[in-house]
Amino acid sequence: MYSYSEFDEAFVRSRVAQFSQQVERRLEGALTEEEFRPLRLMNGLYLQLHAYMLRVAIPYGTLNPRQMRQLAMIAETWDKGYGHFTTRQNIQFNWPKLPDVPAILSALADVEMHAIQTSGNCVRNVTSDHFAGAAADELEDPRPYAELLRQWSTDHPEFQFLPRKFKIAITGSPNDRAVTRAHDIGLRMVKNDKGVTGFEVLVGGGLGRTPMVGMVVREFLPIEDLLPYVEAVLSVYNTLGRRDNKYKARIKITLHETGKDEITRLIEARFAELRPLFGGHDQALLADIRAAFAPPAFRNAPVDAYDAFYKADPVFRAWADTNLAEHRNAQYAIVTVSMKAHGKTPGDATGEQMRVLADLAEQFGHDELRISHEQNVILPHVHKSDLPKIHAILSQHGLATANVGLISDIIACPGMDYCALATARAIPVAEQIALRFDELKLEHEIGPLKIKISGCINACGHHHVGHIGILGLDRAGVENYQITLGGDGTETAVIGERAGPGFAYDEIVPAIERIVQAYLEHRDGPAETFLQAYRRLGLAPFKAALYPAEGAKDAA
């Protein structure tokens, strides 16, 4: 993974010192809250419903054990003993006190971390496939390109005050695990007809109050053209993007209003102007970055013990079947550690759990950890012979839930429990759904099913691309939950279809249960997933199950 240069270190330390002075001025009363607001947002500090919240960047989701232990220390020293992993591969601390924030930022700088550009109308944390550099289906590790984009975009003078926040995601696999089609810019590594690797460039994706799937503006972009082309996209957006209405300021609206053909023409014209200005400096930097992402020295050892354990232990086998993914090295596996124990807050990790994960990465995982956009933690490189030991340790610490990709592996935003923008609770709904289906013992029979929950229209829980999406709204002071069905965040991305009227808080779990029962009744055998069944059957049978009273009315 990437390590800071002397410049990086000096840059981050300078920002910490600068913000420390700004905090001091705020505490002395020399700055009003309104004057302080843009300064704190530039350093990832939000004012939430009950307290400040600090959002810390985890670039392209990659951490080492030392960094994870430092996050644990911060959680226990300056917060309430836990952190919350987000859908943008960040970690949030929900209870820091303002006087302590400079010390937190200094502690982050000690381990090459920061909170810069985790807020504001700028290029946010560049996210990537959480299996990057390990996945068997990968064309190439996309993280060196994500790091190149991170360095280029940090404090870029032209793009610090964009019309609205800007999000970039990148994947090196044909199987999209980074939700690239729901980002302002999505980059998918592809091969052209000559077998050369480049990028498919998508622009204008995004969720929120106007959900859209990104459009392809370049089917094949040579790797060496990445920075000038991304700069061209941002330059065009910075010029055309609306600043009169924040709800219409994202690039997806700019693309819709301008038209794909015209915005593509403008991007290509700007790219033609920018390309000669780069002169190869970006490629020299990329070569240095690539060297930092060399694969680890994989161990060559027998895997017989794993095979025997898998056959003999049904608990281990259930965990292996859901939480392991295929590694590029046949002796290895990718381990997803579920942060979704039944009845717990999705994405929360205690300081103790963080240290356990750091120890596992150090002892068994080549010193690497990843955070997924699905709010889980990944050990990307684990030799199969070590898996029984890892499972035993995870079990001791409540981290061996065998539910990755199943109905209780729910994405949920903080909702009204924390967020000042939220209009409904999300966390308790996720907890209750998970507990209900654990009680029914149906998870493994149901199979792959992604539920995503947002507590407001901003869609931080990605509900639009959930197989079952839940959106919590306020209806005359009462929580009301809308359901969408058939959403998908992968390479076949589609926005879910609204099922009908919403449900009260105490009705939403039974409503989800009716949807699932309809799927089990109508599926074409256990091999047909929920999403496959929905695409075959359409909305009708699920709507009939959701609103039985309407069906009875029609029959009468």
Side-chain angles (χ1 to χ4, degrees):
M1 62 185 291
Y2 179 77
S3 296
Y4 276 11
S5 66
E6 288 184 14
F7 172 85
D8 297 325
E9 173 74 17
F11 176 84
V12 171
R13 294 290 182 186
S14 173
R15 284 292 293 265
V16 171
Q18 182 187 70
F19 189 57
S20 298
Q21 292 176 350
Q22 292 164 350
V23 168
E24 190 175 322
R25 291 169 65 203
R26 173 70 188 110
L27 293 170
E28 291 170 348
L31 290 174
T32 66
E33 176 55 36
E34 191 60 28
E35 291 169 332
F36 183 56
R37 183 175 180 272
L39 303 175
R40 64 172 168 77
L41 288 176
M42 289 176 70
N43 292 280
L45 189 63
Y46 289 73
L47 186 57
Q48 294 284 71
L49 194 61
H50 307 293
Y52 284 105
M53 177 271 283
L54 182 67
R55 180 181 293 155
V56 177
I58 302 175
Y60 34 89
T62 295
L63 281 168
N64 62 35
R66 181 168 171 248
Q67 291 170 327
M68 185 68 98
R69 290 192 185 99
Q70 192 78 334
L71 295 178
M73 184 277 290
I74 289 168
E76 293 174 338
T77 305
W78 293 295
D79 206 278
K80 292 190 175 184
Y82 67 94
H84 177 74
F85 295 116
T86 78
T87 56
R88 291 287 304 157
Q89 297 180 314
N90 298 305
I91 186 170
Q92 294 181 175
F93 295 107
N94 288 306
W95 302 99
K97 293 179 173 60
L98 182 57
D100 294 331
V101 173
I104 296 173
L105 294 177
S106 182
L108 289 169
D110 289 343
V111 293
E112 302 184 359
M113 296 185 76
H114 61 77
I116 299 166
Q117 289 186 202
T118 58
S119 180
N121 294 337
C122 55
V123 178
R124 298 287 186 90
N125 187 35
V126 178
T127 59
S128 182
D129 180 356
H130 43 272
F131 293 168
D137 60 358
E138 188 173 75
L139 300 180
E140 188 180 328
D141 187 345
R143 293 176 302 153
Y145 306 102
E147 174 60 26
L148 182 69
L149 289 165
R150 184 192 72 83
Q151 292 194 26
W152 162 82
S153 62
T154 301
D155 254 17
H156 192 298
E158 188 179 346
F159 305 133
Q160 289 303 294
F161 299 96
L162 294 165
R164 198 72 174 90
K165 58 188 175 182
F166 202 92
K167 299 175 181 179
I168 301 174
I170 181 169
T171 180
S173 166
N175 300 300
D176 188 357
R177 290 176 289 264
V179 205
T180 58
R181 294 180 185 273
H183 282 74
D184 298 290
I185 293 179
L187 299 164
R188 299 181 65 237
M189 300 196 84
V190 294
K191 288 186 182 292
N192 64 11
D193 53 8
K194 296 179 180 177
V196 177
T197 302
F199 296 99
E200 178 188 69
V201 183
L202 300 111
V203 169
L207 304 178
R209 66 181 59 234
T210 313
M212 294 184 184
V213 173
M215 298 183 185
V216 177
V217 295
R218 255 295 184 108
E219 291 185 357
F220 185 84
L221 179 75
I223 281 173
E224 60 269 19
D225 291 340
L226 176 62
L227 274 196
Y229 200 86
V230 170
E231 181 158 331
V233 174
L234 274 154
S235 182
V236 169
Y237 167 57
N238 205 19
T239 302
L240 295 182
R242 294 180 61 171
R243 288 177 164 86
D244 62 324
N245 184 335
K246 72 175 184 178
Y247 301 117
K248 296 184 179 181
R250 298 291 292 270
I251 194 173
K252 60 188 177 184
I253 304 298
T254 305
L255 189 150
H256 179 73
E257 292 180 343
T258 308
K260 178 189 170 185
D261 291 345
E262 176 60 11
I263 207 163
T264 300
R265 185 191 68 79
L266 292 168
I267 291 168
E268 292 291 341
R270 181 63 178 144
F271 169 66
E273 295 171 351
L274 289 170
R275 185 67 189 91
L277 304 179
F278 277 73
H281 300 296
D282 55 327
Q283 295 308 297
L285 176 58
L286 178 60
D288 291 340
I289 291 171
R290 270 205 187 103
F293 289 90
F298 293 125
R299 198 167 94 236
N300 183 19
V303 297
D304 300 353
Y306 163 76
D307 294 333
F309 209 84
Y310 181 88
K311 291 174 183 175
D313 188 331
V315 174
F316 175 79
R317 184 164 60 249
W319 175 79
D321 287 345
T322 55
N323 292 40
L324 302 185
E326 189 179 0
H327 195 280
R328 64 198 302 174
N329 184 316
Q331 292 184 8
Y332 275 70
I334 301 169
V335 177
T336 298
V337 180
S338 172
M339 309 309 294
K340 317 284 180 62
H342 299 105
K344 301 296 185 181
T345 301
D348 275 9
T350 66
E352 179 193 4
Q353 288 174 329
M354 290 186 220
R355 279 193 295 275
V356 169
L357 292 167
D359 291 347
L360 288 174
E362 196 167 69
Q363 187 175 355
F364 303 111
H366 295 279
D367 291 332
E368 278 197 52
L369 294 145
R370 308 282 174 78
I371 308 304
S372 76
H373 80 272
E374 294 179 322
Q375 301 175 290
N376 291 319
V377 179
I378 318 297
L379 296 166
H381 309 293
V382 176
H383 196 274
K384 288 181 178 178
S385 63
D386 292 326
L387 288 170
K389 288 176 278 188
I390 287 175
H391 179 255
I393 294 168
L394 291 173
S395 298
Q396 292 168 12
H397 297 276
L399 291 169
T401 308
N403 67 341
V404 171
L406 302 183
I407 197 168
S408 64
D409 185 14
I410 298 170
I411 287 179
C413 74
M416 212 158 57
D417 289 291
Y418 296 99
C419 182
L421 301 176
T423 49
R425 287 169 289 177
I427 291 171
V429 175
E431 292 171 346
Q432 290 169 33
I433 291 172
L435 286 171
R436 177 56 178 159
F437 283 93
D438 185 46
E439 179 186 18
L440 294 171
K441 302 304 176 190
L442 280 175
E443 274 194 284
H444 290 268
E445 182 182 342
I446 295 163
L449 203 172
K450 294 184 181 293
I451 293 182
K452 305 179 193 291
I453 307 173
S454 299
C456 80
I457 198 69
N458 289 312
C460 294
H462 292 189
H463 69 275
H464 293 295
V465 292
H467 301 165
I468 299 176
I470 302 172
L471 168 62
L473 296 170
D474 181 300
R475 294 283 188 240
V478 177
E479 289 168 291
N480 183 271
Y481 293 86
Q482 291 181 359
I483 292 175
T484 55
L485 297 173
D488 179 15
T490 70
E491 63 281 359
T492 54
V494 66
I495 303 300
E497 184 176 4
R498 184 178 166 188
F503 295 87
Y505 177 78
D506 60 356
E507 297 172 336
I508 187 62
V509 176
I512 299 304
E513 191 173 337
R514 292 197 298 276
I515 293 170
V516 172
Q517 289 296 344
Y519 156 64
L520 293 175
E521 289 170 17
H522 292 287
R523 69 182 178 181
D524 186 16
E528 185 175 50
T529 67
F530 177 89
L531 188 58
Q532 290 168 343
Y534 184 84
R535 288 175 172 173
R536 176 175 61 85
L537 297 165
L539 177 61
F542 301 97
K543 188 168 185 176
L546 266 178
Y547 308 101
E550 288 187 17
K553 201 183 302 177
D554 292 342

